Amino acid sequence: MPPYLLRLAYVALFLLAMLTVWTVWSQVGGQGHLDLMPWYAKLLLSVSLSWVTVMGTAAAVSQKQVWNRTVIVYVVLGLLLTAAMGTLTYYYHMHEADMDNEEPLDTTALLLSVPGMSAMSANAGLGGHK
């Protein structure tokens, strides 16, 4: 196989791995928990796992034996990244209630009454009509 076709196959595998990682992570971990995570954590972990997948495939194709030392290293790295994804998802699952209970800023208006001024004349001073 020509090298440029092999590179094209690896790029296609990377893109497919990215889609698969995002889909499986949102289905297993829950989209609500992923929505609470910062974007850079999701990007770093998903790109890393996809890269490890492609590199493991390349290591398996490059040698006569499929299960060589390099492939095993990439499988272990993939498992560690998957464990990190699970740990991060679990963290946001446990702290979801803390993030939902943050009290919003109080946006109620405060109406001050000035002695000798009625509410109607106070509205007139704010742009209302007399």
Side-chain angles (χ1 to χ4, degrees):
M1 178 180 272
Y4 65 90
L5 285 180
L6 193 58
R7 288 186 193 111
L8 187 62
Y10 288 145
V11 168
L13 177 63
F14 178 78
L15 295 175
L16 181 65
M18 286 291 291
L19 290 173
T20 305
V21 166
W22 287 333
T23 302
V24 170
W25 196 4
S26 69
Q27 292 295 315
V28 172
Q31 187 61 44
H33 300 106
L34 285 177
D35 290 341
L36 296 174
M37 290 181 202
W39 63 270
Y40 51 85
K42 293 183 281 192
L43 182 68
L44 178 70
L45 288 171
S46 60
V47 167
S48 298
L49 186 58
S50 299
W51 178 77
V52 164
T53 302
V54 172
M55 294 305 290
T57 304
V61 170
S62 67
Q63 301 290 327
K64 282 188 174 185
Q65 287 192 345
V66 175
W67 288 103
N68 54 48
R69 185 180 312 204
T70 310
V71 172
I72 292 172
V73 166
Y74 283 119
V75 168
V76 169
L77 280 174
L79 291 173
L80 288 173
L81 285 168
T82 305
M85 291 169 139
T87 303
L88 187 64
T89 304
Y90 183 69
Y91 173 81
Y92 280 97
H93 171 73
M94 295 305 291
H95 292 87
E96 180 177 20
D98 297 341
M99 294 176 191
D100 287 342
N101 288 339
E102 290 178 359
E103 301 207 10
L105 296 174
D106 190 14
T107 58
T108 57
L110 179 63
L111 180 62
L112 297 175
S113 63
V114 178
M117 211 175 186
S118 68
M120 290 300 239
S121 62
N123 282 340
L126 295 174
H129 299 289
K130 290 185 181 181

